[in-house]
Each structure stands twice: as structure tokens, then as C-alpha cells.
Amino acid sequence: MKILFIEWASFGNADIKDAFAKEGHQVVCFPFSNKDPRRGAEIEAGLTKKLRETVPDAVFSFNYFPVVSNACKKESVRYISWIYDSPYVMLYSYTVINPCNTIYVFDRDLYEEFHSAGIHTVHYLPMAANTDRLDRIVSEASGNPYLYDVSFVGSLYNEDHNFFDRMTTLSDYARGYLDALMAAQMKVQGYNFIQESLSPIMEELYQALPMDPNPDGVETREYLYAQYVINRKLTGLERLELIEAVAARFPLDLFTPNSGFSMPGLSNHGTVDPYTEAPLVFHRSKINLNISLRSIKSGIPLRAFDIMGSGGFLLSNYQADFLENFTPGVDFVCYESKEDLLQKINYYLIHEDERTAVAKSGHDKIAKAHTYRDRVREMLSAL
């Protein structure tokens, strides 16, 4: 098949193009940027011209773009998109129902939301890892296989002027309501009730930080504030609380964009390149933490696939989709609370044989059934 690849600055570009090629498909690239909505007509015209020139069997992009869908609809070409961001507001565009679309989300609960609404262009597909590339990076590296006891790679969402902290005009009631709501959500894993609980303070939120749905979208204001404002702040608070607890008892290495963040017991290395450097961190850490973004309902974050695919030991919060694809205690380990997290770190730092067996099992499970080539076969076989 000939695949027109919508190429933008996304994760996984090289991995998915390599997978298409190894599965025997021709890839033609179309450079793309969706940052300026005023260029929508220009982009659609350029894409339409490219479609007519190349006559692809399908168009593929990471994440979903309405302008691409509209061009594919007009030219009667199948559009495949695979969404790895959460939240992703463009998934609520009216164009999602275009019959040319086959849209994949990595979150089973999110898929069920669309399916129950009668939208059948949205499907479930977990993320993946390129174990051939990851194995090569790990094998070419020399030195001590373990450089870190406990590591976390990811954002702390504590940057200055984040959306939540811009809401300085909230009343004491609204602020107290939010504080209580977030404190309750912090105690619950596996179910997020923020969005459904915002109606009593919705108008105050809007006055403090105006946010409106897209003109072509069906998302609600509650969705925007829950997913883009409150759940990000909540994730930041949760990560800070857990990182502080871990660092108080164990050596903890942090790899994050906020290179100025510090606390006792923590070594902050700043950001790492996700393609070339993060796999070595995952492989050389005795324990890798995954603390999922709270806007992810049930899905397995891409970080978890990369950790296991790199041969790293994964210790993650509970996400229901893990149970569909992996076995807790065999392929990865799940923690249920801060106290449980600390106990399991202590246990697996001591029990090296069990830890290495779990890491190997997770890696082998990824290599067997969760590579980009596996996903390419799944996506194309559904056409």
C-alpha cells in the first residue's frame, strides 16, 4: 500500500515510518503544521494537491486533524489517525464522524464514550514501542547497567503561570470547592470525577479564566476546565507529593523540563531526549516510576511502553487497560497508594532476581505483541 504520512513534530515519526516500510508499504511524506488556524484553507488546498499527485491508498497521522479529514473526505481517501495525547480537544470536532475516518485512541474508556454515543469512526488501540531500536540503543551502550535506583522521566506540571494558577480572582467558596474536589480525587485511582463535578462553580471558572469550545467542536466548557486546567494541576500536585515521599527514603533521579526544581534526596538531571537518551535511563534504572496524567481515563501512557520496551522495570499507578494487555507482578508492578508505592520500591530494590524477571517479561511481551509493526498490521487490516 502507499501511505501518505502527515509529518509534524510528533513522537514516534521514525518508528512508525520504519514499521510501514518493514511491512512492505511505501511511505510518502507531507510536511504539516496545524499551529496557525488561519492557514486552514491553504493547508487543505496543499494536501488536496498532494493527494491527487500521489494517489495514496490511505493517509496516516499521529493525532487527529480536522483539516486532513476534510481533504480526505473530498478526495474519497481513507484517513487513519492514532491519538497519543490526552486530553485531545480536536477529537470532539464535528468532522470526527466523516466516513473517511478511522481514528484510534489508546484509552479504552475514551473509546467507550464515543462508541456509546453512536460514533463508530473511533476505535481502541494501545500505544507501542520499537523494541528493535530500543534493544540496539541499549546493546550499544557500555558501562554499569544500573546507574539509578529509582527514576522518573516526565513533566511535573509546576511551570510558572500554568492555567490553574492564573485563576487569581476566584471567590473563597470556589477556591475551597476546588481544593476539596481535588483532595478527594487524589485519593481515587481508576476513576476521574472532576469534569462531572464542576457545574456549581462553572461560571466563576469562566470569569477567572475565559475558555471557549472550538467553533467546530462539541466539547463542553466543563471538559476544557477539567482536562486542560484542573487535571493537569492535580497531576502536578500528585507527582510532587509522591516524588517528595520517595526522595525522603530512596535515592531518586528526576528527568524533567523544569531543571531548576530541587528537594533533599533528589537529583534533577533536566530533560532527556525521548528518542536517544530516555531508553538508557529506563534500562539503567532499577525502578522506573509511571505516574499517569489524570486526564488519561484507563489507558496505558506511552512512557510505560517505552520503559518496558527498553527492558526497564515499571512501577505504575493503576490504569485499567494494563489488565487487558499485561499481567501485574509478571510484566510490571502496580501501586495502589503512596504507602504501597514506598513498600514496593523497598521490596523490589532488595529482591533483584524478581525485579529483573519482571523487567524481562515486560520487554518480551512488548516485543511479541506490542511493537509499531504489530500496530501497523492491526490498523491496515481493518481497512
Side-chain angles (χ1 to χ4, degrees):
M1 297 179 66
K2 182 187 292 185
I3 308 296
L4 182 62
F5 180 70
I6 305 298
E7 189 168 33
W8 60 284
S10 67
F11 293 107
N13 281 350
D15 289 330
I16 196 71
K17 286 192 287 186
D18 178 68
F20 278 127
K22 287 181 176 176
E23 289 298 309
H25 305 291
Q26 179 185 356
V27 177
V28 179
C29 294
F30 179 78
F32 179 81
S33 174
N34 201 48
K35 293 184 178 180
D36 187 354
R38 295 168 298 180
R39 295 183 59 234
E42 176 188 339
I43 293 170
E44 185 173 335
L47 178 55
T48 299
K49 180 181 178 182
K50 188 72 170 181
L51 289 170
R52 293 173 180 175
E53 289 174 350
T54 58
V55 194
D57 297 289
V59 173
F60 175 86
S61 72
F62 280 118
N63 287 348
Y64 173 78
F65 301 102
V67 65
V68 176
S69 178
N70 283 336
C72 289
K73 179 183 177 183
K74 291 176 182 178
E75 297 301 311
S76 299
V77 179
R78 176 62 61 184
Y79 175 32
I80 306 168
S81 65
W82 189 12
I83 296 174
Y84 65 75
D85 274 335
S86 178
Y88 192 70
V89 71
M90 280 187 277
L91 189 56
Y92 292 88
S93 165
Y94 290 115
T95 63
V96 161
I97 64 173
N98 283 348
C100 62
N101 292 336
T102 302
I103 302 168
Y104 292 101
V105 296
F106 72 94
D107 189 310
R108 169 71 74 179
D109 281 2
L110 183 59
Y111 155 72
E112 294 290 352
E113 173 188 325
F114 281 85
H115 184 73
S116 63
I119 298 174
H120 302 299
T121 54
V122 177
H123 308 270
Y124 170 65
L125 189 71
M127 297 310 301
N130 184 351
T131 49
D132 288 343
R133 176 179 63 82
L134 296 173
D135 289 348
R136 188 164 55 250
I137 290 173
V138 168
S139 66
E140 291 174 355
S142 59
N144 188 331
Y146 292 123
L147 298 180
Y148 318 108
D149 281 353
V150 185
S151 295
F152 177 71
V153 178
S155 175
L156 299 180
Y157 297 106
N158 63 348
E159 68 279 1
D160 292 337
H161 307 299
N162 61 68
F163 283 139
F164 186 92
D165 292 336
R166 294 179 193 179
M167 297 190 298
T168 58
T169 62
L170 291 176
S171 67
D172 290 343
Y173 170 81
R175 181 69 64 183
Y177 185 94
L178 273 180
D179 288 345
L181 181 63
M182 293 167 67
Q185 183 66 80
M186 284 272 281
K187 298 177 181 179
V188 178
Q189 294 285 344
Y191 175 65
N192 190 290
F193 47 77
I194 297 293
Q195 184 172 331
E196 65 195 57
S197 305
L198 292 181
S199 57
I201 59 168
M202 195 62 246
E203 287 307 312
E204 277 211 52
L205 293 176
Y206 185 75
Q207 293 301 319
L209 181 72
M211 298 179 71
D212 289 299
N214 288 323
D216 72 336
V218 297
E219 71 275 11
T220 63
R221 284 181 177 171
E222 284 82 358
Y223 169 84
L224 295 175
Y225 286 93
Q227 308 306 336
Y228 285 93
V229 181
I230 299 168
N231 276 326
R232 286 181 182 271
K233 180 66 174 181
L234 187 62
T235 301
L237 293 173
E238 181 175 34
R239 289 182 177 180
L240 286 174
E241 178 183 334
L242 294 179
I243 284 171
E244 183 176 17
V246 173
R249 292 189 53 183
F250 310 99
L252 176 61
D253 288 85
L254 177 67
F255 301 83
T256 187
N258 188 350
S259 59
F261 175 77
S262 64
M263 65 171 54
L266 177 74
S267 297
N268 187 346
H269 302 266
T271 190
V272 288
D273 183 89
Y275 199 80
T276 60
E277 298 174 321
L280 292 176
V281 173
F282 298 147
H283 188 74
R284 290 177 165 179
S285 299
K286 294 178 181 178
I287 294 175
N288 294 277
L289 301 181
N290 174 60
I291 309 167
S292 298
L293 183 61
R294 281 286 185 156
S295 57
I296 301 175
K297 296 184 176 185
S298 65
I300 308 171
L302 182 59
R303 177 194 299 109
F305 282 94
D306 284 338
I307 289 170
M308 290 188 286
S310 301
F313 176 92
L314 172 63
L315 179 54
S316 175
N317 67 289
Y318 172 78
Q319 295 287 117
D321 290 4
F322 270 116
L323 306 185
E324 288 192 41
N325 302 280
F326 304 97
T327 304
V330 176
D331 306 314
F332 78 106
V333 172
C334 179
Y335 67 86
E336 299 177 356
S337 64
K338 178 171 66 176
E339 293 72 24
D340 189 42
L341 171 65
L342 297 174
Q343 291 174 6
K344 285 177 175 172
I345 289 175
N346 184 65
Y347 180 88
Y348 283 102
L349 284 177
I350 295 171
H351 295 84
E352 182 173 0
D353 289 345
E354 293 183 45
R355 189 183 71 240
T356 55
V358 169
K360 183 180 186 306
S361 180
H363 170 273
D364 293 349
K365 183 72 68 68
I366 294 283
K368 182 179 180 181
H370 301 284
T371 68
Y372 283 91
R373 293 185 66 176
D374 293 312
R375 300 298 185 252
V376 163
R377 287 192 289 268
E378 292 174 71
M379 288 187 284
L380 298 184
S381 67
L383 295 183

